[in-house]
């Protein structure tokens, strides 16, 4: 086996050689990665750790929280509040922003996270994950408000996710490509296992919740109909379908072997732009996917260019292999006429 590169070494080298990572950002990423190790231990214990099942509470979006949703949220806050690198945090599981308490020094970054993505898979022992996004606090004023978080995704300083699956893998971008680190449980360390991750531009695999088909908008229906028509249809090739119902797992597969992921707007709740959240899911995943050569849109616009109007904003998401995302996007443009 060749020389092992740890997460710390990778970050130090990024800082030293490419000037990508200021010291505070490096510390922040290391702390998030450490919190993910703790979460991995809880996830792994499952029934033995009494972490399965419902917490009996609801989050701001009216979704029933699982015990692990609550535990993971606490782990991330406790790990990050004292280090001096953050000004505030926001989470899918909290109503408003969380200010770093006065007893700790304030840093210049803002951290956003979905502490445990794919909650419906927790109790059935299927891959789940933690997604995070890092923004710089706007300069020119003291204190932090929710408005400071409302920055378009292209301003992210870093983004990543940790997938708790057969392996525990941390996937990271600081705007210089995408790197993957596998957790070595014996050593307790993150080891670089893939750098310069690239999503193939073409694919024969799509991921969408087909049970919503009757509610889709015409451009989405058109794209999937064409995939389903296979070799005999306009695409001239057979497609395969996968849907894990954990965005982290679906995106991880796409980073590894290509594919397109869609959670589009649908007619079930027409006033909602989509199910997934812009700040905790679409932006970090969009940043990672673009850094790996893929694309992410809401059907008409690049996800990373959307100006968020509120913290828990929802969005329609189409991301993955570039040529397929561009095709679906062009169908939306055609339909918008
Ligand atoms: P969560 O953050 O509450 O877990 O919800 C997000 C998840 C995504 O990971 C996944 O792509 C989607 O919801 C699955 O939704 P559905 O059950 O409607 O297929
Ligand atoms: Mg989620």
């Amino acid at each position: 086996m060749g020389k092992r590169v740890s997460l710390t070494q990778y970050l130090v080298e990024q800082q030293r050689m490419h000037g990508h990572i200021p010291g505070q950002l490096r510390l922040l990423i290391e702390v998030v990665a450490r919190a993910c190790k703790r979460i991995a231990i809880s996830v792994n214990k499952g029934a033995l750790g009494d972490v399965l099942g419902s917490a009996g509470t609801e989050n701001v979006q009216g979704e029933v929280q699982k015990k692990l949703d609550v535990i993971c949220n606490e782990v991330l806050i406790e790990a990050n509040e004292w280090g001096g690198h953050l000004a505030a945090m926001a989470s899918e599981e909290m109503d408003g922003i969380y200010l770093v308490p006065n007893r700790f020094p304030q840093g210049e970054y803002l951290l956003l996270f979905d502490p445990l993505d794919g909650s419906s898979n927790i109790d059935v022992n299927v891959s789940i994950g933690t997604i995070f996004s890092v923004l710089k606090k706007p300069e020119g004023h003291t204190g932090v408000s929710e408005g400071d978080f409302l920055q378009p995704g292209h301003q992210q300083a870093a983004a990543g996710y940790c997938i708790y699956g057969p392996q525990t893998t941390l996937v990271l971008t600081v705007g210089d490509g995408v790197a993957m680190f596998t957790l070595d449980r014996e050593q307790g360390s993150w080891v670089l296992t893939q750098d310069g991750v690239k999503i193939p531009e073409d694919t024969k695999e799509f991921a969408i919740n087909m049970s919503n088909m009757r509610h889709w908008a015409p451009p989405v229906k058109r794209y999937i109909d064409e995939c389903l028509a296979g070799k005999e249809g306009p695409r001239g090739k057979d497609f395969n379908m996968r849907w894990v119902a954990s965005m982290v797992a679906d995106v991880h597969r796409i980073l590894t072997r290509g594919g397109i992921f869609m959670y589009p707007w649908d007619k079930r709740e027409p006033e909602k732009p989509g199910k997934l959240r812009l700040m905790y899911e679409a932006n970090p995943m969009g940043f990672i996917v673009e850094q790996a050569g893929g694309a992410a849109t809401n059907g008409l616009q690049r996800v990373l260019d959307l100006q968020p109007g509120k913290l828990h904003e929802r969005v329609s998401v189409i991301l993955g292999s570039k040529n397929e995302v561009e095709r679906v996007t062009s169908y939306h443009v055609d339909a918008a006429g």
Side-chain angles (χ1 to χ4, degrees):
M1 200 166 43
K3 194 177 151 301
R4 286 161 59 117
V5 174
S6 67
L7 174 65
T8 304
Q9 189 178 347
Y10 173 87
L11 293 172
V12 168
E13 278 169 9
Q14 285 280 324
Q15 184 178 4
R16 205 180 281 153
M17 293 180 358
H18 311 291
H20 280 297
I21 314 184
Q24 276 205 8
L25 181 56
R26 183 163 71 78
L27 179 64
L28 192 166
I29 293 168
E30 294 229 40
V31 174
V32 171
R34 209 174 304 139
C36 288
K37 270 191 229 172
R38 281 189 57 194
I39 294 174
I41 292 167
S42 288
V43 166
N44 213 237
K45 283 204 170 122
L48 299 177
D50 191 26
V51 297
L52 303 183
S54 163
T57 48
E58 276 189 5
N59 66 14
V60 63
Q61 299 152 86
E63 298 158 342
V64 175
Q65 292 178 303
K66 302 278 188 176
K67 280 186 196 163
L68 265 177
D69 288 324
V70 177
I71 293 168
C72 297
N73 196 59
E74 279 165 11
V75 168
L76 281 158
I77 287 181
E78 275 172 25
N80 280 287
E81 65 179 358
W82 53 270
H85 46 276
L86 281 181
M89 294 178 247
S91 161
E92 189 178 302
E93 300 300 336
M94 297 189 294
D95 298 8
I97 63 171
Y98 179 91
L99 300 176
V100 166
N102 284 334
R103 62 183 185 281
F104 301 122
Q106 312 284 309
E108 56 194 37
Y109 287 98
L110 306 171
L111 175 66
L112 300 98
F113 46 84
D114 177 355
L116 205 67
D117 179 64
S119 303
S120 72
N121 282 324
I122 297 173
D123 295 347
V124 292
N125 203 354
V126 171
S127 297
I128 45 184
T130 298
I131 311 174
F132 65 94
S133 159
V134 182
L135 292 165
K136 195 100 191 270
K137 177 175 131 26
E139 284 167 11
H141 63 275
T142 49
V144 201
S145 70
E146 191 171 310
D148 294 331
F149 283 82
L150 304 181
Q151 305 179 36
H154 62 75
Q155 286 176 209
Q156 290 171 102
Y161 66 82
C162 180
I163 177 166
Y164 314 107
Q167 302 109 46
T168 298
T169 307
L170 181 76
V171 177
L172 176 71
T173 185
V174 289
D176 181 34
V178 177
M180 294 189 182
F181 303 84
T182 305
L183 180 61
D184 179 333
R185 285 178 186 269
E186 280 92 66
Q187 307 279 341
S189 61
W190 295 105
V191 181
L192 179 68
T193 41
Q194 211 186 330
D195 201 0
V197 175
K198 282 279 164 269
I199 301 176
E201 290 190 354
D202 292 297
T203 182
K204 289 179 174 180
E205 199 162 66
F206 64 86
I208 192 165
N209 186 336
M210 292 286 287
S211 68
N212 298 324
M213 188 176 224
R214 69 193 184 286
H215 305 297
W216 294 339
V220 174
K221 177 97 171 45
R222 173 181 170 192
Y223 175 76
I224 297 296
D225 280 347
E226 290 180 1
C227 293
L228 295 177
K231 256 200 195 106
E232 295 73 34
R235 302 299 308 275
K237 58 182 183 181
D238 290 335
F239 279 77
N240 187 24
M241 193 204 85
R242 288 286 184 275
W243 184 251
V244 184
S246 283
M247 190 190 198
V248 275
D250 282 313
V251 169
H252 197 70
R253 185 188 59 256
I254 288 168
L255 283 175
T256 309
R257 68 177 191 210
I260 181 168
F261 169 94
M262 294 193 265
Y263 211 122
W265 169 90
D266 67 48
K267 286 199 294 269
R268 280 174 298 170
E269 291 179 277
E271 69 294 342
K272 273 192 195 163
K275 173 181 179 181
L276 300 178
R277 271 74 26 152
L278 175 60
M279 312 286 290
Y280 316 110
E281 292 164 330
N283 272 345
M285 291 309 203
F287 189 22
I288 293 167
V289 163
E290 281 198 5
Q291 284 292 315
T297 77
N298 68 351
L300 288 170
Q301 291 157 283
R302 180 184 177 219
V303 165
L304 299 190
D305 284 339
L306 299 172
Q307 173 61 48
K310 56 180 187 200
L311 207 50
H312 297 290
E313 187 156 317
R314 293 177 192 258
V315 67
S316 170
V317 179
I318 296 156
L319 58 76
S321 291
K322 200 161 185 259
N323 292 338
E324 293 300 306
V325 174
E326 282 174 2
R327 177 181 284 270
V328 185
T329 305
S330 76
Y331 290 1
H332 281 81
V333 174
D334 287 355

